[in-house]
Amino acid sequence: MKLIVGLGNPGAEYADTPHNLGFRAVDALAGMVGAGPWREERRFKTLAAKATRRGEALWLLKPQTYMNASGESVGPFLRYYGGTAGDLLVLSDDCDLPPGRLRVRPGGSAGGHNGLKSLIAHVGTEAFARVRMGAGRAEGERRGLVAHVLHRYTPAEAAQADAEAREAAEAALCWLDRGLAEAQNRFNAARPDPEPLGTIAK
C-alpha cells in the first residue's frame, strides 16, 4: 500500500487559507488518480479516499484532528493497513518557501511545522517523504506568522494556490510511479514560472 496525506484544518473557515495547502493538493490528487469518494473514518479521525495505482492500494487522507494533532490519524492508519514510513508521503505548506515553489524531501525535521511534528511523533521516525509547498514568510513577518497562514486568500492568491496544489499532486504522482529521486530532480529545480506540469500517465 501507499499512503498520501494532505495536512490542513477541517472546517469551511480554514478552507481557503495557506495552512490548508495540503488539503488542496490531496483533493487535486484524488481527481487525478480516480479515487473513490471521501469517507469519514471515525476510528482514525480522518477523511479517506481509496484508489488503485499500478495494482497497489493507494490511500489518500485528510486528518480531521486539526493540524497540530495530525499524527493521531496518520500513525494508527498506517499501522492498521500494514504500511511503513517508506510508504508514506505528506503534502504540507512551508512558510520558508515562496508561494508557487515546491520542495520534495526524503525526510528530516519538522522545521517548526506543528503538523509534521505530530506526524514524526506518531509515525515514530522522521524518515518519510514530503512535498512542501511554498506559503511565503514575508507577509507573515508583517502581520504575524499565525495570522498569515490562517488568512483567507484573495482571488489572485487562491488561483496561485490552486496551481501550486496541482503541481504538488503531480509531484506525488511522480513519487508513486518513478520514485523519490525522480520527483526531487523534476520538482526541486528552480523555475521562473511555477506552472503545473502535464499529468503523468498511469
Side-chain angles (χ1 to χ4, degrees):
M1 65 91 78
K2 292 287 188 247
L3 176 61
I4 299 180
V5 179
L7 297 186
N9 287 307
E13 67 269 36
Y14 298 109
D16 287 317
T17 67
H19 221 23
N20 270 40
L21 274 169
F23 278 9
R24 218 176 188 97
V26 81
D27 279 335
L29 180 61
M32 291 176 181
V33 299
W38 291 101
R39 300 185 185 279
E40 184 179 10
E41 293 279 350
R42 291 186 179 179
R43 60 182 163 172
F44 299 115
K45 307 173 190 175
T46 192
L47 296 177
K50 189 179 183 183
T52 301
R53 191 78 177 178
R54 296 177 177 267
E56 186 175 27
L58 169 61
W59 286 98
L60 310 179
L61 294 192
K62 293 192 288 187
Q64 301 295 289
T65 55
Y66 289 95
M67 180 68 80
N68 294 3
S70 299
E72 295 177 11
S73 294
V74 177
F77 192 98
L78 188 65
R79 286 188 288 274
Y80 181 84
Y81 284 98
T84 69
D87 300 315
L88 173 63
L89 177 71
V90 178
L91 311 175
S92 71
D93 62 299
D94 186 345
C95 287
D96 289 326
L97 292 174
R101 293 297 179 199
L102 302 183
R103 287 292 180 271
V104 181
R105 292 286 183 258
S109 71
H113 192 290
N114 287 329
L116 290 172
K117 189 181 298 182
S118 177
L119 260 71
I120 290 167
H122 287 272
V123 174
T125 179
E126 297 179 348
F128 55 85
R130 68 278 311 256
V131 177
R132 302 188 75 157
M133 294 171 279
R137 182 175 287 275
E139 285 296 328
E141 290 172 350
R142 284 193 281 273
R143 63 182 158 200
L145 200 56
V146 172
H148 171 63
V149 297
L150 297 180
H151 86 275
R152 190 168 293 276
Y153 284 136
T154 66
E157 288 173 332
Q160 184 176 47
D162 285 339
E164 187 172 7
R166 288 192 299 271
E167 190 174 17
E170 295 283 0
L173 286 177
C174 190
W175 173 80
L176 280 169
D177 294 344
R178 302 181 186 182
L180 178 67
E182 177 65 20
Q184 288 181 287
N185 289 338
R186 185 171 179 179
F187 291 91
N188 288 356
R191 293 189 298 275
D193 184 9
E195 288 294 324
L197 305 179
T199 300
I200 298 169
K202 290 185 180 180

